[in-house]
């Protein structure tokens, strides 16, 4: 079973969910805001993907943080920030079994499709 994690109003998540439906791939959607996000889930994401890849430093949520919050980043600090601000998590996060992938970019589609259908 495929699980896709994100925020329902995120444009990239919307595109990914539409693509899954068009491909006929059975999946479950987990909305961080509606369905929750906990430290255990965050630890699995960080362990599998790395906090550097997971932490969205391009969005408005990141830009609104003060400089102290952005300074001296490590996995623990990034995890706390992402738990407090779900929008700081790059989306979508994909899970298939015990494996995780991140994002929905055109350049990654061949790899993502092979992984999801394999």
């Amino acid at each position: 079973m495929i699980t896709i994690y994100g925020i329902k109003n995120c444009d990239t998540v919307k595109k990914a969910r539409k693509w899954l439906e068009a491909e006929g791939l059975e999946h479950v959607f987990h909305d961080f805001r509606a369905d929750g996000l906990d430290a255990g889930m965050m630890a699995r994401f960080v362990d599998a993907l790395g906090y550097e890849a997971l932490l969205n430093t391009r969005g408005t949520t990141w830009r609104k943080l003060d400089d102290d919050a952005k300074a001296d980043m490590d996995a623990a600090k990034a995890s706390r920030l992402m738990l407090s601000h779900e929008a700081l998590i790059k989306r979508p996060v994909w899970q298939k079994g015990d494996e995780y992938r991140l994002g929905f970019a055109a350049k990654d589609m061949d790899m993502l499709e092979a992984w999801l259908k394999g």
Side-chain angles (χ1 to χ4, degrees):
M1 174 61 71
I2 299 164
T3 303
I4 182 172
Y5 298 89
I7 298 170
K8 71 179 176 185
N9 62 346
C10 169
D11 288 340
T12 306
V13 170
K14 287 178 187 178
K15 289 175 189 172
R17 292 178 70 193
K18 229 179 225 184
W19 177 81
L20 283 166
E21 290 170 15
E23 293 293 314
L25 293 170
E26 191 174 330
H27 65 282
V28 173
F29 174 61
H30 182 102
D31 186 321
F32 292 137
R33 291 182 176 151
D35 301 319
L37 174 66
D38 61 34
M41 186 183 299
M42 181 57 62
R44 289 190 299 279
F45 293 165
V46 170
D47 287 346
L49 301 165
Y51 82 88
E52 298 93 339
L54 199 58
L55 183 61
N56 179 4
T57 59
R58 299 175 117 189
T60 56
T61 302
W62 176 260
R63 288 192 296 271
K64 288 180 182 179
L65 294 175
D66 62 39
D67 289 339
D68 288 340
K70 297 177 193 178
D72 302 318
M73 194 60 60
D74 61 17
K77 185 174 184 179
S79 294
R80 286 191 303 272
L81 278 172
M82 289 184 281
L83 282 167
S84 298
H85 307 279
E86 303 91 355
L88 287 174
I89 302 170
K90 285 186 186 168
R91 304 172 296 274
V93 175
W94 303 83
Q95 180 183 5
K96 182 180 169 194
D98 292 333
E99 295 182 57
Y100 294 85
R101 299 288 188 273
L102 183 61
F104 189 69
K107 66 180 178 61
D108 302 322
M109 284 307 298
D110 290 342
M111 180 279 307
L112 182 62
E113 186 171 10
W115 178 68
L116 289 171
K117 292 181 177 181

